[in-house]
Amino acid sequence: MSIEADFALLEELLIARGPGGQEEEVRTICRRELESSCDEVWLDPANNLIGLIRAPGVSREAAQREAIRVMAHQDEIAMLVKRIAEDGRLHIVALGGAFPVNFGMCPVDIMGESQNLPGVLSFGTMHGTSESPQSTHILSGNVQWSDVHVITRRSKADLTQMGVRPGSRVVLSQHWRRPFRVHDAIAAHFLDDRAPVVAALRSAEQLAARKGELKRDVYFVMTTNEEETNSGAQYAARTLPGAISVALEVGPIADEYATRLCADPIILTGDEKGLYSRSVADDLISAAERCGYAPQPALMPGFASDASAVLGSGSSARAGCLAIPTENTHGYELITNDGIEACGRTLTEYLLTMD
């Protein structure tokens, strides 16, 4: 596939709304793509979407025992309604690792039971005095969720009738979700984890075309709730065959990690949950090198993934993380045009060369 084809699929996935626990729009697109590549596609009880590519010419027992689970998460950082004021303002909290600065004052979609409603994320005016604490917080750059509300221009009764209640998801509006080209790069909210999802889907296509070379079954798992609890990955790791889990992620660019914004994939050696399996990291690094890339091994104590969650809990015997170098993680993110292709090619090489 071309970079333009990857961009088109990425744009479709970015426009789709996917807050944790309510990822149906994203899942519909992923199912369509996986069904064209995989031997079998299904939704598990945890709402993970799973596509299986079977290794031919290998005993079923061996293929399943040595199976590899590839994980890319469907969900995005978002907000939850905490309470509804009498005037219809929504008081909200974070869903996933989000702060008000990640979104700014912006249009949002309120996901009610019967329909999606427009709203505006508001910090209040910055032209107040000490009588308006949020004004002081805006001027100091210390805006917290307690300073934030969503303007709906509807009554509490109307919102309740439309199925907006505590726990309803609030997401960045589709009005602001289209990707933006910056010379040799792509910028958008929610490249985490939509760009790695595209890499996973492209790798599935590549494996389907070279299926005869596979020595192990491969499960492509589009996980749910990564940003909040890793519950989808935990369930998949406990219930699917295999001993190895590989998460596809965005990788932060920071001097402390010696990471660069380029196509060369980041290979995690460890994160805040602990060290990744040395053998998996080494194999991913070798795969990237065979593809002609200069992989970026990195130890990231300020990061975590589905793979480190399942490894740390003992749900997976071994695990690794392959990441697309990304600026502004959890904000208005930016990757290079060829970052998705590099991630997908490296993953395919890794999967095809595992004995």
Side-chain angles (χ1 to χ4, degrees):
M1 286 286 180
S2 68
I3 288 177
E4 287 305 315
D6 288 349
F7 182 87
L9 179 57
L10 176 63
E11 182 171 38
E12 187 179 9
L13 284 163
L14 288 168
I15 292 171
R17 292 162 290 212
Q22 203 166 331
E23 303 104 336
E24 293 87 352
E25 293 180 14
V26 177
R27 194 154 53 242
T28 296
I29 298 167
C30 291
R31 179 184 282 274
R32 180 196 71 206
E33 297 295 315
L34 286 175
E35 285 179 343
S36 67
S37 303
C38 296
D39 297 306
E40 189 177 350
V41 178
W42 70 95
L43 190 67
D44 75 8
N47 284 330
N48 297 306
L49 181 68
I50 302 166
L52 167 62
I53 298 181
R54 297 187 181 91
V58 181
S59 73
R60 285 292 83 215
E61 181 183 354
Q64 291 189 8
R65 184 181 62 249
E66 303 298 329
I68 298 176
R69 300 177 290 256
V70 176
M71 297 178 170
H73 63 89
Q74 306 170 66
D75 60 315
E76 64 197 47
I77 58 168
M79 295 154 278
L80 291 171
V81 175
K82 183 178 182 182
R83 68 181 185 277
I84 305 174
E86 289 301 323
D87 63 1
R89 287 180 300 158
L90 305 181
H91 295 272
I92 55 176
V93 295
L95 175 59
F99 297 91
V101 68
N102 297 122
F103 299 105
M105 292 180 275
C106 65
V108 295
D109 291 338
I110 304 152
M111 301 180 76
E113 286 184 1
S114 59
Q115 59 185 291
N116 296 318
L117 308 173
V120 171
L121 192 67
S122 174
F123 300 173
T125 183
M126 65 180 289
H127 293 105
T129 67
S130 57
E131 289 187 50
S132 303
Q134 81 280 2
S135 297
T136 304
H137 294 165
I138 293 170
L139 291 171
S140 68
N142 187 32
V143 179
Q144 302 299 318
W145 288 113
S146 58
D147 299 312
V148 177
H149 62 273
V150 174
I151 299 168
T152 68
R153 301 299 296 161
R154 293 180 183 270
S155 69
K156 182 177 181 180
D158 284 346
L159 291 169
T160 300
Q161 186 176 15
M162 294 174 181
V164 179
R165 62 177 186 274
S168 291
R169 273 65 169 172
V170 178
V171 299
L172 188 68
S173 171
Q174 288 183 321
H175 181 64
W176 275 23
R177 296 174 77 98
R178 292 191 179 278
F180 181 65
R181 292 187 182 273
V182 184
H183 187 47
D184 64 344
I186 302 166
H189 287 282
F190 316 125
L191 293 176
D192 176 13
D193 204 36
R194 303 296 201 274
V197 164
V198 174
L201 295 173
R202 294 308 190 214
S203 180
E205 291 179 8
Q206 293 160 15
L207 285 187
R210 301 174 62 184
K211 189 175 173 181
E213 301 173 47
L214 272 177
K215 300 297 188 296
R216 304 171 182 229
D217 288 353
V218 178
Y219 292 86
F220 286 91
V221 188
M222 306 294 112
T223 63
T224 183
N225 283 319
E226 187 273 348
E227 296 290 1
E228 189 70 17
T229 63
N230 302 104
S231 61
Q234 297 279 14
Y235 182 85
R238 288 197 306 270
T239 57
L240 290 174
I244 298 176
S245 300
V246 176
L248 301 190
E249 267 291 352
V250 295
I253 302 302
D255 288 343
E256 65 175 299
Y257 303 142
T259 48
R260 299 168 288 109
L261 183 62
C262 59
D264 297 328
I266 294 171
I267 313 297
L268 274 290
T269 59
D271 63 26
E272 66 178 25
K273 296 182 185 297
L275 296 177
Y276 288 93
S277 303
R278 176 66 181 266
S279 62
V280 179
D282 287 349
D283 287 340
L284 287 168
I285 289 170
S286 295
E289 290 173 340
R290 288 194 300 273
C291 290
Y293 301 112
Q296 305 183 64
L299 177 65
M300 295 185 172
F303 182 83
S305 75
D306 273 340
S308 60
V310 300
L311 184 63
S313 69
S315 302
S316 186
R318 288 182 284 163
C321 184
L322 171 63
I324 299 173
T326 306
E327 281 276 10
N328 300 336
T329 48
H330 278 200
Y332 195 65
E333 296 161 329
L334 188 139
I335 62 173
T336 61
N337 287 334
D338 45 3
I340 292 173
E341 179 185 18
C343 181
R345 285 186 60 204
T346 297
L347 176 64
T348 300
E349 175 68 16
Y350 167 79
L351 295 171
L352 287 172
T353 54
M354 290 295 290
D355 296 327

